[in-house]
């Protein structure tokens, strides 16, 4: 079959046209006039909406500080932020009758991830209904994963009860589940369209190469923030957060003896994926040009304001006052309420202390093993190895080498 470039072009244009119409229809059904500084959507200049929207991906790994980093995006009034929507896809694709929850088909799973991201970036939240369990009724669900982590899903129009920032200024997680009831996905789509930009955080995509079809998609202007962290810190944090799964590691940590059944494969593949993605990104292939920013969590934790500025410059948006004040409130040693410390995924805490605490929490034996497993990763990202317990525990001796990973061009 012959398929000329004209046909291809026609198809692309047709699909853009359909999308433009669909967006208009949904937008027209939004109640109320266009208000506020962010609704440049509403002026009638003929620009397809998608050419101006930013599509931001916070690309991270479990316990790499992505909840904290995500807050920098979540606080922005013109960003519609979604916390790990791919959770639902993974649930649907794993064999729940098997104790280890095996993934049935990796390639199909990655394809489904990609499709969901594309649909969410264009604000089609109904697409999620294919994966959410139990199946939503009349586009309404009570099972949206970590809905309270998305400020937009806890404020009007999605949640009429949710004032701006919550009436008390307390984190959405505390009051949103009680006040907001079930989630109407149609309203979520409308709210998404009414904000200028979409940011999604995920820890489920293995490598940046798996995102290539999205960076090349003419409908998107994708910006990837690749968040990395010292793998020794990632491991310590996983041991604290998922103690059941890490029982063997905890025994190792406590006894100084490595159990034979300890699973080294998970952290090894974390390191492998992190290295592969950073290498790809730093080589700046054409399909990633201007779309990739490497951020070390430690730099963000030690210097949140400067890093936030860098991130916002990269995505091409203003660093709003709300983001600045969130940083001010959450990155000094003055934690407002002790209860917030106990939340497993809490982001409200001293970022500097958190970033370093692994050095007091891991036995030297574990650290040494990890340094061998993740040698390349540590070297590439500028994390120093330690050679004694004294060096490990001496917090005035920094293990983070100053580095600038050249900004995206
Ligand atoms: C799911 O796992 C169970 C137990 O391991 C196995 O018997 C079953 O065949 C699996 N189902 C599929 C669809 O692979
Ligand atoms: C969800 O919101 C849409 C748009 O406001 C509305 O038309 C629909 O009735 C709502 N669905 C339910 C079940 O309330
Ligand atoms: C903590 O906050 C209080 C009141 O908000 C202030 O008086 C105090 O100086 C702060 N301490 C530090 C270490 O920032
Ligand atoms: C490792 O053991 C030390 C004490 O030996 C303990 O303070 C620390 O919390 C443990 N770390 C983890 C991650 O469980
Ligand atoms: C770690 O990697 C560096 C550079 O790749 C190499 O020089 C060094 O010998 C390696 N160390 C270990 C313990 O494998
Ligand atoms: C801790 O590290 C600092 C900076 O490298 C060094 O000056 C100091 O002597 C070290 N302290 C100990 C007790 O080793």
């Amino acid at each position: 079959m012959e398929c000329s470039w004209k046909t291809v072009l026609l198809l692309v244009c047709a699909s853009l046209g359909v999308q433009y119409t669909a967006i208009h229809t949904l937008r027209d059904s939004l109640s109320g006039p266009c208000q506020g500084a962010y609704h440049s959507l509403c002026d009638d200049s003929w620009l397809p909406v998608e050419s101006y929207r930013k599509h931001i991906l916070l690309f991270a790994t479990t316990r790499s500080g992505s909840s904290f980093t995500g807050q920098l995006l979540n606080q922005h009034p013109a960003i519609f932020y979604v916390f790990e929507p791919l959770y639902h896809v993974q649930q649907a694709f794993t064999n729940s009758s098997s104790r280890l929850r095996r993934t049935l088909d990796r390639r199909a799973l990655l394809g489904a991830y990609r499709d969901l991201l594309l649909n969410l970036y264009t604000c089609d939240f109904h697409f999620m209904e294919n994966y959410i369990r139990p199946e939503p009724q009349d586009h309404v669900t009570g099972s949206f994963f970590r809905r309270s982590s998305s400020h937009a899903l806890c404020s009007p129009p999605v949640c009429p009860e949710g004032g701006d920032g919550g009436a008390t200024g307390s984190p959405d997680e505390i009051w949103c589940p009680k006040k907001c009831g079930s989630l109407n996905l149609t309203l979520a789509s409308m709210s998404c369209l009414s904000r200028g930009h979409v940011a999604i955080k995920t820890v489920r995509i293995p490598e940046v190469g798996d995102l290539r079809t999205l960076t090349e998609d003419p409908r998107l202007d994708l910006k990837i923030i690749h968040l990395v962290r010292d793998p020794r810190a990632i491991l310590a944090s996983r041991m604290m957060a998922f103690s059941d799964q890490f029982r063997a590691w905890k025994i190792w940590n406590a006894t100084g003896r490595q159990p034979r059944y300890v699973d080294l494969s998970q952290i090894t593949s974390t390191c492998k994926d992190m290295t592969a993605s950073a290498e790809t990104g730093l080589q700046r292939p054409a399909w990633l040009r201007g779309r990739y920013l490497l951020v070390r969590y430690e730099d963000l934790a030690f210097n949140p304001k400067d890093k936030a500025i860098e991130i916002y410059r990269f995505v091409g948006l203003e660093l709003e006052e709300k983001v600045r004040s969130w940083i001010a409130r959450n990155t000094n040693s003055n934690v407002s309420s002790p209860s917030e410390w106990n939340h497993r995924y809490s982001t409200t805490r001293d970022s500097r202390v958190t970033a370093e605490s692994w050095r007091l929490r891991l036995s030297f034996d574990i650290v040494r093993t990890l340094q061998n497993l993740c040698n390349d990763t540590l070297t590439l990202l500028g994390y120093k190895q330690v050679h004694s317990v004294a060096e490990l525990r001496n917090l005035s001796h920094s293990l983070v080498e100053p580095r600038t990973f050249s900004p995206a061009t």
Side-chain angles (χ1 to χ4, degrees):
M1 197 184 83
E2 272 203 318
C3 180
S4 72
W5 64 270
K6 276 184 192 157
T7 319
V8 173
L9 199 66
L10 200 69
L11 283 173
V12 169
C13 291
S15 103
L16 282 173
V18 166
Q19 195 183 31
Y20 186 54
T21 314
I23 285 164
H24 257 297
T25 315
L26 249 178
R27 193 197 311 158
D28 290 348
S29 63
L30 280 171
S31 56
C34 305
Q35 318 146 329
Y38 298 104
H39 294 242
S40 30
L41 273 182
C42 297
D43 61 35
D44 261 340
S45 56
W46 196 91
L47 255 188
V49 170
E50 298 312 308
S51 72
Y52 126 99
R53 277 179 170 256
K54 308 287 180 202
H55 307 98
I56 305 162
L57 189 69
L58 178 54
F59 169 64
T61 186
T62 313
R63 310 307 292 180
S64 60
S66 61
S67 301
F68 177 85
T69 313
Q71 286 300 321
L72 296 178
L73 303 167
N74 190 33
Q75 301 298 320
H76 194 291
I79 291 179
F80 193 98
Y81 175 68
V82 192
F83 181 104
E84 193 53 280
L86 303 187
Y87 167 85
H88 291 290
V89 183
Q90 190 188 41
Q91 292 299 100
F93 268 80
T94 46
N95 180 354
S96 51
S97 62
S98 155
R99 205 170 55 81
L100 288 169
R101 298 190 58 82
R102 288 199 175 76
T103 300
L104 298 178
D105 182 335
R106 186 174 179 279
R107 199 161 58 92
L109 177 66
L110 286 172
Y113 282 165
R114 196 222 24 230
D115 288 348
L116 181 61
L117 289 174
L118 180 59
N119 279 281
L120 292 183
Y121 279 131
T122 50
C123 293
D124 180 359
F125 277 72
H126 292 166
F127 194 80
M128 294 237 359
E129 294 178 25
N130 299 326
Y131 303 108
I132 294 175
R133 288 174 185 170
E135 189 181 351
Q137 300 297 312
D138 296 326
H139 309 304
V140 170
T141 178
S143 314
F144 195 96
F145 181 61
R146 306 248 305 138
R147 175 244 184 116
S148 321
S149 299
S150 303
H151 184 58
L153 295 181
C154 296
S155 23
V158 180
C159 174
E161 298 288 308
D164 200 23
T168 60
S170 61
D172 295 339
E173 274 87 348
I174 292 175
W175 56 270
C176 180
K178 267 177 261 155
K179 281 251 166 132
C180 297
S182 297
L183 176 63
N184 181 330
L185 293 162
T186 309
L187 286 175
S189 291
M190 290 174 171
S191 169
C192 175
L193 288 170
S194 76
R195 294 191 173 216
H197 314 282
V198 181
I200 298 175
K201 167 213 141 147
T202 183
V203 296
R204 283 176 165 71
I205 307 272
E207 280 185 35
V208 76
D210 298 319
L211 295 167
R212 179 163 178 173
T213 44
L214 288 178
T215 66
E216 290 177 333
D217 194 308
R219 290 166 291 185
L220 299 184
D221 180 10
L222 191 68
K223 301 278 186 179
I224 300 169
I225 301 163
H226 182 201
L227 181 71
V228 297
R229 186 182 187 183
D230 190 324
R232 297 166 293 191
I234 290 176
L235 177 73
S237 181
R238 287 180 183 171
M239 284 167 70
M240 304 295 284
F242 315 113
S243 38
D244 282 355
Q245 203 190 323
F246 281 83
R247 202 169 293 140
W249 286 90
K250 296 199 85 138
I251 292 169
W252 183 2
N253 178 58
T255 62
R257 218 169 283 137
Q258 177 178 357
R260 241 176 304 148
Y261 50 91
V262 76
D263 176 18
L264 301 176
S265 68
Q266 194 202 54
I267 192 71
T268 307
S269 61
T270 295
C271 286
K272 219 175 98 251
D273 289 342
M274 205 150 61
T275 309
S277 294
E279 278 173 346
T280 302
L282 296 174
Q283 279 162 10
R284 304 192 203 182
W287 57 271
L288 259 187
R289 203 154 294 153
R291 307 198 174 282
Y292 176 87
L293 180 73
L294 181 64
V295 175
R296 292 189 302 189
Y297 173 64
E298 292 79 5
D299 293 329
L300 186 63
F302 294 159
N303 214 342
K305 271 191 213 121
D306 290 350
K307 274 289 150 183
I309 289 169
E310 187 183 334
I311 288 172
Y312 270 94
R313 191 181 301 132
F314 164 68
V315 298
L317 295 177
E318 284 288 310
L319 184 60
E320 284 292 320
E321 180 48 38
K322 286 190 97 178
V323 182
R324 288 176 200 276
S325 61
W326 186 87
I327 294 172
R329 271 183 282 122
N330 290 282
T331 56
N332 61 32
S333 49
N334 237 349
V335 175
S336 44
S337 136
S339 68
E340 285 160 19
W341 280 81
N342 298 329
H343 200 279
R344 192 205 238 188
Y345 293 96
S346 174
T347 54
T348 309
R349 58 197 162 187
D350 186 338
S351 54
R352 180 179 275 270
V353 169
T354 312
E356 292 262 77
S357 64
W358 68 271
R359 295 177 63 180
L360 307 174
R361 286 206 179 125
L362 286 187
S363 72
F364 180 59
D365 195 37
I366 292 183
V367 169
R368 201 168 38 195
T369 304
L370 217 60
Q371 289 179 169
N372 286 330
L373 292 174
C374 297
N375 181 17
D376 295 345
T377 314
L378 294 167
T379 307
L380 178 69
L381 300 175
Y383 299 120
K384 284 184 212 152
Q385 309 214 1
V386 294
H387 304 96
S388 68
V389 185
E391 201 184 345
L392 173 64
R393 309 277 187 238
N394 179 357
L395 297 187
S396 14
H397 170 63
S398 172
L399 299 183
V400 183
E401 287 168 9
R403 284 277 174 95
T404 37
F405 301 99
S406 27
T409 48

